[in-house]
Amino acid sequence: MQIETKLPKVGTTIFTVMSQLAVEHKAVNLGQGFPDFEGPQALRDALAAAMNAGRNQYAPMTGLPALREQIARKTEALYGRKINPDTEVTVTSGATEALFAAIAAVVRTGDEVVVLDPCYDSYEPAIELNGGRAVHVPLDPRDFSPDWQRVRDAITPKTRMILVNTPHNPCGSVLSAHDLDTLAEIVRGSDILVLSDEVYEHIAFDGLPHQSVLRHPELAERSFVVSSFGKTYHVTGWKVGYCVAPRALSAEFRKVHQYLTFCTFTPAQVAFAEILEKDPQHYLDLPEFYQAKRDRFRELLAGSRFRLLPVAGAYFQVADYSAISDADDLAFCEWLIKQGGVAAIPLSAFYETPPEGQRLVRFCFAKNDATLEQAAERLRAL
């Protein structure tokens, strides 16, 4: 039988490829972005208690009311935006589902979605599966800030959405309040929507507040904002996220969500509602927690031949390896696993067209100290 693929450019993700190679060669895995430490004990206890109490059947399609209420309270406390938990918050099976549902809800055949390269690898397939076309606009290769004039130049009558990500994966850059003002100017007077991927919202460093789209009233009225409990609570395998959007956009979002996953793992929703209410300090302390890991990893690599780029948010360190090798980044990452004993991700995997001669890889520092020390020892030896 001849199958015509709907995603001709898509193969196995680079994260899976590098993680499998790391296992084969017993390399320290700083590639795939997951912690190697556990989430809060209170959260895990709450999950077990919810299961043992019989909270094991379908949750409401939009999410448990108690969890949506806690999300609304957190949103107002952090970003000053009062939202309706019944009509503007939807709990999803991970942030990736939320991103897909937002795109599927509004992108039609022939529509264009502006994405900023490098960008997370799930964006373009979701756009293409819904008949759209991703229009790739490169970030500044020096500091990975948006070139808003190039964004303006990319907009056409077919532009349906602009997709932004802050703090940024893979680059660790963040949007400023001025960036949000500029984005608002660009979409003002149009029907262009915004999809803001904010899964690392609680991991912003050096005292900088996270500039959520929800802080900007004009943008919030035309935006889907996606967040991740997995990233915030170190439980990526639970796959629980959520989307905040105005009532009309949420209504369309939910039409897709109800036929995509319908609802999300009930005991986890119970547990997250409980910990949000009882321990809001956890997410408030997260910037300091991960900044210490960032600083420690950078300190450990100070004697290496890698040149470390600035990291303003998220838990990834981009490093220039040009002093070590002239190989392209994919070949270098394969060599690094086999010969250096450390797994990284080539930055070219996040681009439509990588800059000529760029020699950058991404390390994940969401690891315990022993893992970071072992990896750094191997990296310093290169």
Side-chain angles (χ1 to χ4, degrees):
M1 181 185 296
Q2 188 69 30
I3 303 294
E4 183 178 353
T5 179
K6 295 180 73 175
L7 293 171
K9 294 186 287 184
V10 172
T12 304
T13 73
I14 191 67
F15 309 106
T16 299
V17 170
M18 290 300 159
S19 289
Q20 288 177 345
L21 203 58
V23 171
E24 290 173 20
H25 293 273
K26 297 181 173 59
V28 180
N29 190 353
L30 301 188
Q32 198 164 359
F34 59 84
D36 66 349
F37 45 85
E38 295 299 328
Q41 185 65 52
L43 177 66
R44 289 179 281 140
D45 289 345
L47 176 73
M51 289 189 291
N52 291 330
R55 304 296 297 274
N56 300 305
Q57 307 309 321
Y58 294 130
M61 181 268 288
T62 57
L64 290 179
L67 180 54
R68 287 186 280 109
E69 179 62 37
Q70 290 300 322
I71 291 168
R73 291 179 181 177
K74 180 169 81 81
T75 299
E76 184 174 11
L78 291 177
Y79 308 131
R81 183 167 181 83
K82 187 174 181 61
I83 57 175
N84 186 318
D86 294 327
T87 60
E88 298 181 294
V89 180
T90 309
V91 179
T92 61
S93 297
T96 303
E97 190 230 321
L99 292 165
F100 185 94
I103 291 166
V106 297
V107 173
R108 295 175 173 81
T109 300
D111 284 348
E112 296 175 349
V113 178
V114 174
V115 298
L116 306 180
D117 274 7
C119 66
Y120 191 61
D121 67 345
S122 79
Y123 299 166
E124 184 166 15
I127 294 164
E128 292 185 342
L129 283 171
N130 289 287
R133 183 174 77 89
V135 177
H136 294 262
V137 175
L139 295 169
D140 188 311
R142 297 164 298 181
D143 62 3
F144 302 107
S145 61
D147 184 335
W148 292 115
Q149 186 55 52
R150 295 190 70 166
V151 173
R152 287 187 179 93
D153 294 342
I155 290 174
T156 74
K158 295 181 179 180
T159 304
R160 180 60 170 156
M161 174 183 281
I162 298 174
L163 205 167
V164 297
N165 174 206
T166 185
H168 191 275
N169 175 19
C171 300
S173 55
V174 298
L175 295 183
S176 67
H178 177 69
D179 286 321
L180 296 187
D181 287 341
T182 306
L183 177 57
E185 291 173 8
I186 291 172
V187 298
R188 188 174 296 142
S190 75
D191 292 326
I192 298 172
L193 302 173
V194 173
L195 173 53
S196 188
D197 178 352
E198 301 185 16
V199 301
Y200 300 100
E201 63 180 317
H202 299 300
I203 312 177
F205 304 136
D206 304 313
L208 291 173
H210 168 56
Q211 294 297 335
S212 174
V213 165
L214 294 168
R215 289 185 186 273
H216 197 288
E218 184 179 359
L219 286 175
E221 288 300 325
R222 64 168 76 225
S223 296
F224 300 94
V225 179
V226 172
S227 296
S228 166
F229 285 120
K231 300 295 192 299
T232 300
Y233 288 95
H234 323 312
V235 286
T236 58
W238 290 17
K239 295 297 291 180
V240 182
Y242 61 92
C243 178
V244 174
R247 181 174 187 148
L249 291 182
S250 287
E252 296 305 309
F253 180 95
R254 291 169 175 183
K255 290 177 184 179
V256 176
H257 166 69
Q258 69 181 344
Y259 293 116
L260 194 56
T261 62
F262 181 73
C263 66
T264 296
F265 185 43
T266 303
Q269 292 195 56
V270 175
F272 283 127
E274 182 176 318
I275 200 166
L276 280 171
E277 180 178 16
K278 293 182 177 179
D279 186 21
Q281 197 61 39
H282 172 85
Y283 60 75
L284 295 175
D285 289 342
L286 215 56
E288 182 180 357
F289 174 82
Y290 273 120
Q291 183 167 329
K293 290 189 176 296
R294 177 201 68 174
D295 294 348
R296 178 60 176 155
F297 187 54
R298 291 173 68 88
E299 177 186 296
L300 289 167
L301 288 183
S304 76
R305 291 195 288 165
F306 288 95
R307 180 175 66 85
L308 305 182
L309 278 61
V311 183
Y315 49 51
F316 303 107
Q317 173 66 65
V318 175
D320 186 316
Y321 64 86
S322 55
I324 301 171
S325 173
D326 290 329
D328 66 65
D329 59 359
L330 178 58
F332 177 77
C333 284
E334 292 173 346
W335 174 85
L336 184 61
I337 290 174
K338 296 174 183 178
Q339 303 300 321
V342 178
I345 299 294
L347 215 69
S348 63
F350 300 90
Y351 282 92
E352 179 183 52
T353 306
E356 187 71 27
Q358 181 172 274
R359 298 289 181 263
L360 299 177
V361 296
R362 188 199 81 173
F363 295 112
C364 174
F365 56 78
K367 308 296 178 183
N368 63 48
D369 288 348
T371 302
L372 295 178
E373 289 163 8
Q374 182 183 22
E377 181 179 3
R378 297 180 181 187
L379 294 171
R380 288 195 305 268
L382 298 175

